[in-house]
């Protein structure tokens, strides 16, 4: 089975997405992108920008694998607005605002087809309680119907903190019977919570897509795999063979304050190397 190589545009999230960035991503050998929906990075509400992105993808023989739903109301380059969007907010109006904004991002599929929408269930400071889980259920029931009508699957992501752990998300999906909602397994986040292969074993039947990045068990660094302390041999062995491998990397220090594509050159070379290593690991 051919391994699906996908790169998230989260790498460039502090820059405006341009044809040059898409072209450089294509040169790493990936076949598809995951678009991080931040309006300062890419205005998913703009049909003009959608048509531009469609042309850039086609011109580089790329497809759009997935989108990552917006996490803040507005995201300006290099700074967050501080107005988070949360689908588990017990306050109905704030929760509805989040759902409405995610639907605007999902409408991008009218211009560019994609299979998955990666969705955060909670923020890292959220403590699990019944009201938050009920709010998440209400939001995801609405969003999954909206997405499915457009041929998109919602994939909830395990994130740092007490609430959205792999085990909690599995229990949530089992209890709510939201059968059309799947999981985006984030290896870096699972590592922060104590162990990747162990977490994988318990949720592998729910995994539709992934986020692959590394850390040293202390901070959510979003490093290139093999630069932290994750056991990638064990991780890849535990992953379903058909799971797409999506690299979600943080902007390198060399790119801070620079709009030049060359500032990402070393990281982008690393992307190809990592996928080649993943291919070797899976063939052994």
């Amino acid at each position: 089975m051919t391994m699906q190589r996908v790169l998230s545009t989260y790498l460039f999230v502090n820059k405006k997405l341009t044809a040059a960035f898409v072209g450089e991503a294509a040169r790493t050998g990936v076949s598809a992108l995951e678009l991080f929906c931040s309006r300062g990075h890419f205005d998913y509400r703009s049909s003009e920008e959608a048509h531009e992105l469609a042309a850039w993808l086609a011109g580089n023989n790329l497809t759009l694998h997935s989108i990552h739903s917006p996490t803040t109301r507005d995201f300006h380059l290099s700074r967050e607005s501080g107005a988070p969007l949360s689908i588990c907010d017990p306050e109905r109006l704030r929760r509805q605002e989040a759902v409405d904004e995610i639907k605007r991002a999902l409408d991008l599929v009218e211009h560019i087809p994609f299979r998955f929408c990666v969705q955060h269930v909670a923020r890292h400071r959220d403590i699990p309680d019944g009201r938050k889980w009920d709010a998440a259920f209400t939001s995801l029931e609405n969003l999954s119907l909206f997405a499915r009508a457009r041929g998109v699957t919602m994939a909830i992501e395990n994130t740092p903190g007490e609430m959205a752990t792999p085990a909690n998300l599995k229990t949530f999906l089992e209890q709510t019977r939201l059968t059309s909602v799947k999981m985006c397994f984030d290896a870096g986040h699972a590592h922060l919570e104590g162990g990747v292969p162990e977490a994988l074993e318990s949720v592998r039947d729910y995994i539709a897509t992934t986020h692959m990045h590394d850390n040293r068990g202390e901070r959510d660094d979003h490093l290139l795999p093999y630069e932290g302390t994750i056991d990638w041999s064990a991780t890849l062995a535990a992953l379903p063979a058909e799971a797409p491998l999506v690299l979600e990397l943080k902007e390198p220090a060399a790119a801070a304050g620079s709009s030049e594509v060359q500032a990402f050159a070393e990281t982008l070379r690393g992307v190809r190397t990592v996928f080649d290593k993943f291919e070797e690991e899976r063939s052994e």
Side-chain angles (χ1 to χ4, degrees):
M1 182 177 293
T2 303
M3 187 179 76
Q4 296 179 66
R5 302 182 176 208
V6 186
L7 178 66
S8 169
T9 70
Y10 183 67
L11 176 62
F12 313 119
V13 75
N14 290 326
K15 313 286 187 266
K16 188 71 177 173
L17 190 62
T18 64
F21 285 124
V22 173
E24 287 302 311
R27 278 186 271 280
T28 67
V30 300
S31 60
L33 298 182
E34 175 173 289
L35 176 68
F36 195 94
C37 288
S38 149
R39 293 182 66 197
H41 170 59
F42 174 83
D43 188 356
Y44 49 86
R45 294 187 182 187
S46 166
S47 59
E48 181 180 346
E49 290 201 20
H51 288 137
E52 284 183 340
L53 178 57
W56 300 340
L57 292 170
N60 287 283
N61 199 29
L62 293 174
T63 59
L64 189 61
H65 168 73
S66 49
I67 65 169
H68 191 304
S69 73
T71 58
T72 57
R73 184 180 297 122
D74 293 300
F75 191 113
H76 303 282
L77 291 178
S78 301
R79 67 179 182 88
E80 293 193 34
S81 67
L85 295 170
S86 173
I87 66 166
C88 76
D89 196 316
E91 172 54 51
R92 188 183 67 82
L93 289 177
R94 287 199 296 267
R95 183 174 70 248
Q96 190 60 48
E97 181 183 31
V99 168
D100 290 345
E101 193 63 26
I102 295 160
K103 286 180 176 179
R104 292 185 186 103
L106 282 163
D107 278 337
L108 182 65
V109 79
E110 295 177 7
H111 304 284
I112 311 170
F114 55 89
R115 294 178 61 198
F116 303 108
C117 175
V118 176
Q119 178 62 52
H120 288 184
V121 170
R123 294 166 291 184
H124 73 279
R125 293 175 183 165
D126 284 331
I127 297 170
D129 66 45
R131 291 190 314 146
K132 288 192 177 74
W133 286 118
D134 287 346
F137 169 71
T138 300
S139 298
L140 282 166
E141 187 177 40
N142 187 333
L143 285 168
S144 62
L145 287 171
F146 187 88
R148 189 167 58 182
R150 288 154 180 77
V152 177
T153 297
M154 298 298 296
I156 54 177
E157 177 186 350
N158 57 296
T159 50
E162 293 182 46
M163 187 165 169
T165 63
N168 283 350
L169 294 183
K170 177 186 178 183
T171 300
F172 171 74
L173 291 177
E174 287 175 339
Q175 292 180 346
T176 59
R177 299 182 182 178
L178 287 170
T179 55
S180 64
V181 177
K182 302 301 180 184
M183 282 185 61
C184 171
F185 182 81
D186 190 299
H189 297 161
H191 189 51
L192 290 172
E193 300 302 318
V196 183
E198 299 84 355
L200 262 171
E201 285 299 332
S202 66
V203 301
R204 70 188 318 274
D205 292 341
Y206 294 86
I207 296 171
T209 187
T210 65
H211 281 163
M212 301 284 104
H213 54 91
D214 215 332
N215 60 66
R216 299 178 181 89
E218 298 172 355
R219 294 188 304 275
D220 191 18
D221 297 314
H222 284 255
L223 302 173
L224 276 163
Y226 304 100
E227 290 186 355
T229 54
I230 290 178
D231 182 340
W232 288 102
S233 295
T235 296
L236 293 168
L239 268 173
E242 68 279 5
L245 300 181
V246 183
L247 285 188
E248 190 187 51
L249 307 171
K250 194 165 283 187
E251 177 186 271
S258 171
S259 59
E260 297 298 318
V261 176
Q262 288 75 14
F264 293 86
E266 185 176 349
T267 302
L268 291 169
R269 281 194 296 271
V271 167
R272 181 184 288 275
T273 300
V274 162
F275 276 126
D276 288 346
K277 284 186 178 180
F278 281 175
E279 197 90 62
E280 290 173 17
E281 296 265 14
R282 283 198 152 179
S283 65
E284 291 177 358

